[in-house]
Amino acid sequence: MVAESWVQVGASSLNDTGQALEQALQALQCPEDPKLIVALLAPNFDLAAIAEQLHGTFPHTQVIGCTTSGEITPGGAVANALVLWALGGSAIEVSTGSGQGDAHGLRQAATEAAHCLDHLEQRANTVLIVLSDGLCGDQMDVVRGAYDVAGIDVPLVGGCAGDYLAMSRTRQIHGRRVMTQAVVAAAVSSDRPLGIGVSHGWTPASDPMLVTGSKGNILSTLEDKPALDVYLDFFNPEDIVRTDPTAFANFAATHPIGIRRRDKIEMRHVTGFNLDRRELILVAEVPQGGLACLTEGNFDSVLNAAAQSCITAMDALNGFPPAGLLLFDCVSRRAVFTEERVHEETDLITSSCGAIPMAGFYTYGEIARTKGAGGFHNQTLVTLAIG
């Protein structure tokens, strides 16, 4: 008897696109055709061929996907892999959409993608999964655009596509179509609970400071002082960090900016600086007039946050056994763990949640909006649990 909801995962680390897809499909072992497949793909694969083959194999299955900066499978964190996360069951309904943006922004693209909700047979619980191009404009606009359609009642989860830190081009899949500078979305509705967990492991190191100068993802002043000077004076790193972009980026990976919201602190990854203007460059906006703090963390705090994110998502299932997990994990967190120890994150998730089907990817930013303001995150693990 087929379960009311089920998740299966297939993965392959073979280099050849055709062979990798065949191996991943064989590993899926779906009890019936999935309602949705989320394809998480290293950039070296032929995405057009994958989209066509998935349509040929499952012509009635909705498909979304994107390129990544690392992949997560039930066996742990991997690299240069092809991962398929499949969702099905009689309790599940799915509708997908996409929108084309440009290098300057994705708000309208996110709105167009989110209109897949208009075609969904909604059941007791609904979530909108959003995958966006991680190299286009202010990613907070993706949250705003999706929220324009989803409103307060439908939570958002997702992540920004990556390209293994080449910072050149990411790609998205919707059905048989391969896109770039786009947003793709899947609206999932279920008779059973859907849980979301969000945790990062970073703690405030400074007092809250007023953001007195910012525009988009450029943070100019804190408390009317140059933001770069405030940052460097507080942490007092070695001299090379103060002038060398690479050394600064490595230091900033474990010292993000925290944005205070009413009910949480959202992380903003600091990607660089402007030495002449003494500004900080972040992945997404820091609202002028808001409060920000400097944060820090370590291997253990970031690791423990992974378990907390997954446990929070599973607790929201209200006693229903989890069918599977979909994970959106920041590529900056992977850098904290290092390649030698990155497996400890997935090992801890498995030991905390049990051997349930899970997959995910390392992102250029995470999306999670369940209530309140905001919804875009960095250096955070966002978990979607399927009941």
Side-chain angles (χ1 to χ4, degrees):
M1 183 176 179
V2 178
E4 290 184 357
S5 62
W6 54 264
V7 170
Q8 291 292 327
V9 175
S12 174
S13 294
L14 297 176
N15 292 324
D16 179 80
T17 295
Q19 294 175 356
L21 182 57
E22 181 180 359
Q23 186 178 66
L25 287 170
Q26 288 177 349
L28 274 183
Q29 299 182 341
C30 297
E32 59 186 359
D33 284 358
K35 300 286 183 68
L36 173 68
I37 289 178
V38 180
L40 306 171
L41 312 165
N44 58 287
F45 290 112
D46 184 340
L47 268 68
I50 291 170
E52 285 293 335
Q53 183 60 47
L54 287 175
H55 176 74
T57 304
F58 299 113
H60 303 296
T61 296
Q62 304 271 3
V63 176
I64 64 169
C66 68
T67 54
T68 72
S69 285
E71 303 79 41
I72 300 170
T73 72
V78 293
N80 298 310
L82 184 159
V83 179
L84 304 176
W85 184 86
L87 171 66
S90 60
I92 301 293
E93 294 291 339
V94 173
S95 176
T96 58
S98 60
Q100 182 64 58
D102 57 35
H104 302 291
L106 297 173
R107 180 164 184 164
Q108 183 58 38
T111 298
E112 293 173 9
H115 272 297
C116 62
L117 284 162
D118 299 343
H119 311 291
L120 181 70
E121 179 189 327
Q122 291 205 27
R123 301 195 174 187
N125 302 282
T126 302
V127 67
L128 185 68
I129 302 171
V130 180
L131 305 177
S132 69
D133 189 320
L135 301 177
C136 294
D138 181 356
Q139 292 293 316
M140 188 61 201
D141 279 343
V142 176
V143 177
R144 295 188 183 102
Y147 183 78
D148 287 343
V149 178
I152 195 171
D153 295 324
V154 178
L156 312 175
V157 297
C160 304
D163 63 350
Y164 273 79
L165 299 178
M167 310 306 285
S168 174
R169 181 181 69 153
T170 78
R171 288 168 289 164
Q172 300 76 48
I173 292 176
H174 178 215
R176 301 164 73 180
R177 186 181 180 190
V178 179
M179 313 168 73
T180 190
Q181 297 183 343
V183 178
V184 300
V188 176
S189 200
S190 177
D191 294 326
R192 297 163 65 93
L194 303 168
I196 297 172
V198 184
S199 189
H200 48 71
W202 308 101
T203 57
S206 73
D207 292 331
M209 292 176 281
L210 183 66
V211 178
T212 48
S214 68
K215 184 177 181 180
N217 66 326
I218 304 299
L219 178 56
S220 302
T221 59
L222 292 166
E223 302 286 356
D224 291 322
K225 300 175 183 177
L228 177 58
D229 293 341
V230 172
Y231 189 85
L232 293 175
D233 289 347
F234 182 85
F235 286 119
N236 193 28
E238 57 184 323
D239 288 344
I240 191 173
V241 172
R242 298 174 178 272
T243 56
D244 181 75
T246 300
F248 179 85
N250 290 334
F251 177 83
T254 55
H255 298 83
I257 300 289
I259 306 302
R260 286 195 172 272
R261 304 291 191 183
R262 181 178 58 83
D263 57 344
K264 57 184 175 291
I265 297 179
E266 291 180 355
M267 292 299 109
R268 292 291 184 267
H269 177 47
V270 182
T271 60
F273 53 51
N274 185 307
L275 282 177
D276 294 332
R277 293 197 292 267
R278 311 304 292 173
E279 296 171 336
L280 294 173
I281 304 170
L282 290 80
V283 167
E285 72 164 1
V286 178
Q288 185 163 316
L291 292 175
C293 58
L294 308 182
T295 76
E296 58 187 357
N298 55 37
F299 182 97
D300 290 334
S301 69
V302 176
L303 180 65
N304 291 334
Q308 185 58 54
S309 176
C310 295
I311 290 170
T312 299
M314 292 186 34
D315 286 347
L317 300 181
N318 299 322
F320 280 79
L325 303 176
L326 184 58
L327 308 173
F328 306 93
D329 203 354
C330 189
V331 67
S332 298
R333 288 169 53 85
R334 182 167 183 153
V336 172
F337 294 136
T338 72
E339 291 302 317
E340 292 75 21
R341 300 187 66 183
V342 68
H343 67 90
E344 294 186 34
E345 181 180 34
T346 48
D347 289 348
L348 183 60
I349 292 171
T350 299
S351 65
S352 301
C353 303
I356 58 177
M358 69 174 183
F361 74 106
Y362 291 97
T363 75
Y364 284 173
E366 304 76 58
I367 294 168
R369 190 211 165 275
T370 55
K371 61 181 179 178
F376 181 75
H377 308 261
N378 289 134
Q379 297 179 262
T380 296
L381 175 61
V382 172
T383 304
L384 172 64
I386 305 296

